[in-house]
């Protein structure tokens, strides 16, 4: 049977990377289990990876191992995930929810196939067993949140994408609460800095903005195109030009920033650290600032190939209109 037909049979209708077809065609037709029960047991014993869902995770793994179609999909997708970077792994689709726990949990076993290598990579970089436990337990956290949303533990597309960060060792967590992801600056903005004062101004470079300057055109409540403007960054020999963002509001008029006074601080493609705020984390300044310092220090020591360690956060929690 073709892999496309197998995918359809288990509820995966979205496009998947074409390399999966090549992997499937070369895969030996044997009875190798898709889900490694020994790995599941070890992850639970060492890091409490699955929390109270452990017995369910193990039982569903046994069910998948006895299901030819699901086994083939997990084996194929897992082989692809192990050999590709995180951004490519995120292209693996997840099945449509059908009310069964085996479908809800199916993407978990692709992650499980990656986690032993992730543990080894965290260890290689100098993370302690306690620090590794913090990130491994986030697999449980995803299942918990999906259960809260749907009534059934699982890994949906949002959490599959998020948890590939842990499975590829591209994120770490502090015991104090914050998480730090190694990331590159998005194309949405260029950041310039005043040479004298150190002020940093985001220069928006991401398309049409609502006339209010508060949101991108098309955001909920900001769909009216009248007066909308295009935010684009450009420069010549003397100036940078664009729509700066101040106190969460984008300038409606493009302005010139002389190069004698301003310099590019961060631009798309540069390395930086993105911080994430787990549910219930304390984000008071007295708590957060020391974590920034600690997170930067850990990243510099353990990810020396990552060349940028400025810290950036993007979250609805920062919306100034929210109490």
């Amino acid at each position: 049977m073709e892999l496309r037909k197998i995918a359809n049979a288990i509820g995966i209708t979205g496009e998947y990377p074409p390399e999966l077809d090549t992997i499937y065609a070369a895969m030996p037709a044997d009875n190798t289990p898709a889900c490694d029960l020994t790995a599941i047991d070890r992850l639970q014993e060492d890091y409490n990876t699955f929390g109270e869902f452990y017995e369910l995770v193990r039982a569903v793994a046994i069910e998948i191992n006895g299901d030819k179609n699901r086994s083939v999909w997990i084996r194929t997708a897992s082989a692809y995930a192990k050999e590709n970077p995180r951004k490519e792994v995120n292209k693996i689709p997840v099945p449509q929810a059908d009310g069964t726990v085996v479908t809800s949990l199916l993407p978990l076993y692709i992650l499980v196939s990656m986690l032993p290598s992730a543990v080894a990579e965290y260890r290689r970089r100098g993370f302690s067993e306690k620090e590794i436990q913090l990130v491994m337990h986030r697999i449980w956290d995803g299942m918990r949140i999906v259960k809260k949303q749907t009534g059934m533990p699982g890994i949906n597309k949002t959490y599959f994408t998020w948890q590939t960060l842990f499975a590829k060792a591209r994120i770490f967590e502090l015991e104090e609460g914050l998480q730090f992801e190694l990331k590159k600056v998005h194309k949405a903005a260029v950041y310039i800095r005043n040479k004298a004062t150190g002020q940093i101004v985001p220069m928006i470079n991401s398309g049409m903005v609502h006339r209010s300057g508060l949101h991108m055109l098309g955001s909920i409540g900001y769909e009216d195109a009248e007066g909308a403007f295009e935010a684009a960054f450009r420069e010549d020999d003397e100036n940078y030009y664009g729509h700066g963002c101040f106190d969460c509001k984008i300038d409606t008029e493009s302005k010139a920033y002389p190069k004698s006074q301003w310099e590019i601080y961060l631009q798309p493609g540069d390395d930086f650290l993105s911080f994430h705020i787990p549910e219930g984390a304390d984000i008071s300044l007295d708590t957060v600032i020391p974590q920034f310092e600690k997170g930067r220090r850990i990243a510099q020591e353990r990810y020396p190939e990552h060349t940028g360690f400025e810290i950036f956060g993007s979250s609805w929690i920062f919306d100034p209109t929210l109490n």
Side-chain angles (χ1 to χ4, degrees), residues 1-219:
M1 186 185 296
E2 295 178 355
L3 184 63
R4 177 73 269 172
K5 292 181 179 179
I6 291 172
N8 290 343
I10 61 175
I12 297 173
T13 57
E15 293 300 315
Y16 56 75
E19 293 87 349
L20 268 67
D21 287 314
T22 303
I23 293 170
Y24 170 67
M27 186 179 297
D30 57 25
N31 295 319
T32 302
C35 305
D36 186 341
L37 297 178
T38 301
I40 291 171
D41 293 341
R42 175 57 63 85
L43 287 164
Q44 179 64 18
E45 180 181 351
D46 291 349
Y47 305 113
N48 194 25
T49 302
F50 312 107
E52 72 270 24
F53 303 122
Y54 165 60
E55 295 294 344
L56 177 64
V57 167
R58 204 176 193 284
V60 170
I62 293 171
E63 182 176 349
I64 290 173
N65 285 344
D67 182 317
K68 183 177 180 180
N69 285 342
R70 289 190 171 98
S71 289
V72 164
W73 176 258
I74 294 297
R75 289 178 64 192
T76 304
S78 296
Y80 175 83
K82 291 176 183 178
E83 298 300 325
N84 282 276
R86 185 236 175 190
K87 67 178 181 179
E88 299 302 323
V89 176
N90 292 344
K91 295 178 182 178
I92 298 174
V94 305
Q96 296 290 323
D98 62 3
T100 66
V101 71
V102 66
T103 296
S104 183
L105 282 176
L106 192 71
L108 169 68
Y109 300 97
I110 301 171
L111 294 169
V112 166
S113 74
M114 301 163 68
L115 292 180
S117 294
V119 168
E121 179 64 9
Y122 279 120
R123 285 176 180 160
R124 186 184 73 82
R125 290 186 177 275
F127 288 90
S128 69
E129 293 300 293
K130 187 172 184 179
E131 289 171 322
I132 296 172
Q133 183 176 29
L134 289 173
V135 293
M136 288 297 110
H137 200 49
R138 286 299 169 186
I139 304 299
W140 160 84
D141 196 43
M143 291 188 286
R144 174 189 66 85
I145 293 174
V146 171
K147 181 179 180 180
K148 185 176 179 181
Q149 294 170 342
T150 68
M152 181 181 296
I155 300 292
N156 59 20
K157 181 58 177 176
T158 296
Y159 279 94
F160 179 75
T161 299
W162 167 244
Q163 290 174 336
T164 56
L165 281 168
F166 303 96
K168 288 292 186 179
R170 301 301 298 168
I171 190 170
F172 61 91
E173 183 170 338
L174 303 185
E175 189 175 359
E176 295 86 345
L178 293 185
Q179 300 164 337
F180 292 87
E181 175 190 351
L182 295 104
K183 202 169 182 179
K184 292 187 180 295
V185 176
H186 191 269
K187 63 183 179 181
V190 175
Y191 299 83
I192 61 173
R193 178 170 60 180
N194 188 285
K195 296 177 181 179
T197 67
Q199 179 188 12
I200 297 171
V201 176
M203 304 291 285
I204 307 304
N205 191 38
S206 57
M208 299 303 294
V209 181
H210 186 265
R211 62 178 178 272
S212 66
L214 294 173
H215 285 279
M216 302 306 295
L217 182 66
S219 301

Side-chain angles (χ1 to χ4, degrees), residues 299-319:
Q300 289 172 330
E301 292 172 354
R302 303 178 191 177
Y303 292 89
E305 75 281 7
H306 190 81
T307 58
F309 301 98
E310 299 307 321
I311 294 174
F312 178 92
S314 175
S315 173
W316 61 269
I317 293 173
F318 301 142
D319 191 322

